[in-house]
Amino acid sequence: MNKAKKNNITIKILSLLIAFFMWTYVMNEVNPRTTQPFSNIKVTYLNQNYLSEAELELMEPKEAKVTVKLAGRRSDIKTINPNDIIVQADLYGYPEGMSRVPVEVKVPENVTVESVSPQYIQLKLDSIITKEFKISLRTTGKTEEGHTPGDVDVRPSTVLIKGPRTWVNSVDKVVTILDLTNVNSDIKTSRPVRVLNDKEEEVRNITKEPSTVEITMPILGTKSVPINPRIKGTPLEGYSITDIQMNPTSVFIKGRKEIIKDIEFLETDTLDVELISKTKEVPVNIVLPEGVELMDVDLSPMAKINVEKIIEKDVELDTSKLTFINLDTNHVIDKDSLPETITITIRGTESKVEALTDRDVTFYCDLSGLEAGNHDVNIKVILHEDIELIQIVPEAIQVTIQDQDEI
């Protein structure tokens, strides 16, 4: 009996040993321990509400990924799905700037984490700030011909930009754009605000307050009008103003159509020419009626006052060119009885007088009512209006009128 029990115990112990060795074989040969990396596991950020409360913004990386290497039995590793691996980074308590935040990995109980790469996430946090910017108006296109924009009113004139410090500090300008193509009447409209960096690119992920503005712009009429100089005073004795040349001679003006439609010219401020004796060029101001403006606000008009000396000169005229008018058709003139020349004395500005020749002078005798015989007839002279006749020598000549039948 005792022997049988001993044999039974021995068999049981032997069976257990065999089972243990079989289990060890299976575990080590059939289902061994192994490792496997899992790439591109997304990191979940915890306590993001803390960033909102602390007025912080996660700038980068917006999305972080790591590689997790798991260890365990082959059969257990094979059952792992990447979604079973939870990687977290807690954002609570970190200040503005760059921070090194550790990651925490959670995996199923039958496997372990052998490594995670990277173990830390380099985060950049920005404070949320607000800045005020002036709004600039940009226009595109051209108004209808004969029209131009007046002074624009943009309301409000400034905008508050709010967002992460990096993005707000990248703002170079704030603009609103208005199209003027073929516009011919006043504009009142709402336009969106655009926030641009120094490369003219839109800055996004910021808030604008307000996001739109109200634009009021009058559309004015335009026209070109000449400039007339206004003078006072008298030149020095013996001198004369020949003309006043304006540069430019005309200007474009703008204003309400009902105001500018009756404007035919503009005048300058009064130019004082008292005792002037030589040509000079002076700056002038253009007198603008109320409600009228120059298109070119930078215009600097000049007036050139041309002054010349007044001189006298004797001009000898050949009587062969003397004209007789109102001579009876039955009469003729004995031209042999005429003097060869007459002399006229003229006065005027030097350039006009020196340029004058006998071809510029018309002189004649009026023979109305005269019969045949000898007659003393006055000489008439016609000159350019800028030339003054001082005297004629002789003032009269003896003219012999003959009947044609007696010749």
Side-chain angles (χ1 to χ4, degrees), residues 170-173 196-201:
S170 73
V171 176
D172 183 62
K173 60 185 74 73
L196 306 176
N197 61 21
D198 57 2
K199 295 180 180 179
E200 295 289 308
E201 299 167 336

Side-chain angles (χ1 to χ4, degrees), residues 8 34 82 98 108 110 154 157 173 220 241 291 294 332 343 389 394:
N8 189 33
T34 186
M98 299 299 297
N110 53 350
V154 179
S157 60
K173 60 185 74 73
L220 307 176
I241 296 174
L294 294 177
V332 295
T343 300
L389 179 65

Side-chain angles (χ1 to χ4, degrees), residues 6-279:
K6 286 181 180 179
N7 290 335
N8 189 33
I9 291 171
T10 300
I11 293 172
K12 288 181 178 179
I13 291 172
L14 184 59
S15 297
L16 286 173
L17 289 172
I18 293 172
F20 172 76
F21 285 118
M22 290 295 293
W23 178 83
T24 301
Y25 170 78
V26 170
M27 293 302 291
N28 290 322
E29 300 297 330
V30 179
N31 188 27
R33 288 190 65 81
T34 186
T35 60
Q36 181 176 332
F38 290 83
S39 301
N40 297 319
I41 304 300
K42 185 177 178 180
V43 178
T44 300
Y45 293 129
L46 301 180
N47 286 313
Q48 294 195 55
N49 59 329
Y50 157 76
L51 298 183
S52 299
E53 294 169 0
E55 293 199 328
L56 293 170
E57 176 80 18
L58 175 60
M59 300 300 291
E60 56 184 49
K62 291 293 187 181
E63 183 179 279
K65 293 181 179 180
V66 298
T67 297
V68 178
K69 183 185 284 188
L70 298 183
R73 295 294 174 183
R74 180 184 295 168
S75 60
D76 294 329
I77 293 293
K78 285 184 176 180
T79 64
I80 297 297
N81 186 289
N83 293 329
D84 298 328
I85 304 171
I86 299 174
V87 182
Q88 298 172 326
D90 193 348
L91 304 182
Y92 186 81
Y94 289 97
E96 181 181 20
M98 299 299 297
S99 296
R100 194 165 176 257
V101 180
V103 295
E104 180 183 349
V105 182
K106 296 179 180 180
V107 295
E109 293 181 354
N110 53 350
V111 295
T112 59
V113 178
E114 182 162 298
S115 66
V116 57
S117 179
Q119 294 179 308
Y120 294 87
I121 304 297
Q122 287 280 21
L123 297 180
K124 180 184 179 183
L125 299 178
D126 257 11
S127 289
I128 302 299
I129 65 170
T130 301
K131 277 189 177 182
E132 185 177 29
F133 289 84
K134 182 175 176 59
I135 302 170
S136 299
L137 175 68
R138 288 183 177 178
T139 58
T140 60
K142 291 185 178 181
T143 55
E144 186 179 286
E145 188 175 353
H147 298 79
T148 191
D151 293 334
V152 66
D153 181 32
V154 179
R155 296 192 181 185
S157 60
T158 61
V159 62
L160 292 177
I161 304 298
K162 182 178 181 181
R165 186 186 304 275
T166 299
W167 293 339
V168 173
N169 286 343
S170 73
V171 176
D172 183 62
K173 60 185 74 73
V174 178
V175 302
T176 186
I177 299 174
L178 183 64
D179 184 13
L180 299 180
T181 303
N182 293 328
V183 171
N184 60 10
S185 60
D186 293 350
I187 297 173
K188 189 170 185 179
T189 184
S190 296
R191 299 299 302 158
V193 169
R194 295 186 61 194
V195 181
L196 306 176
N197 61 21
D198 57 2
K199 295 180 180 179
E200 295 289 308
E201 299 167 336
E202 192 113 19
V203 179
R204 304 190 183 276
N205 301 315
I206 48 91
T207 60
K208 301 167 284 189
E209 183 58 41
S211 59
T212 61
V213 292
E214 296 295 323
I215 300 174
T216 303
M217 176 185 283
I219 300 299
L220 307 176
T222 66
K223 67 186 297 187
S224 177
V225 293
I227 307 171
N228 291 347
R230 198 164 46 179
I231 64 172
K232 70 173 183 178
T234 304
L236 188 67
E237 186 176 356
Y239 291 86
S240 176
I241 296 174
T242 56
D243 70 337
I244 300 177
Q245 297 171 324
M246 293 300 306
N247 183 24
T249 58
S250 62
V251 291
F252 276 96
I253 59 173
K254 62 181 178 179
R256 287 292 183 185
K257 297 174 188 175
E258 61 272 18
I259 295 177
I260 68 171
K261 66 181 179 67
D262 295 325
I263 297 177
E264 299 300 329
F265 62 88
L266 294 178
E267 289 187 320
T268 66
D269 283 340
T270 302
L271 301 174
D272 189 356
V273 297
E274 184 68 23
L275 301 181
I276 192 171
S277 61
K278 62 180 179 179
T279 295

Side-chain angles (χ1 to χ4, degrees), residues 325-378:
I325 64 172
N326 297 315
L327 177 64
D328 189 288
T329 55
N330 295 319
H331 295 155
V332 295
I333 302 297
D334 180 8
K335 292 190 176 182
D336 293 335
S337 64
L338 297 176
E340 290 185 359
T341 62
I342 64 171
T343 300
I344 61 173
T345 302
I346 59 175
R347 177 191 293 139
T349 57
E350 189 170 12
S351 62
K352 295 283 187 182
V353 169
E354 294 295 351
L356 185 134
T357 67
D358 59 354
R359 291 190 299 273
D360 302 314
V361 181
T362 300
F363 59 114
Y364 65 94
C365 292
D366 187 354
L367 304 181
S368 297
L370 297 183
E371 299 293 335
N374 295 323
H375 304 276
D376 289 331
V377 182
N378 289 331

Side-chain angles (χ1 to χ4, degrees), residues 312-315 343-347 388-392:
E312 292 185 2
K313 181 181 180 181
D314 292 337
V315 178
T343 300
I344 61 173
T345 302
I346 59 175
R347 177 191 293 139
E388 179 186 0
L389 179 65
I390 302 300
Q391 67 176 359
I392 306 172

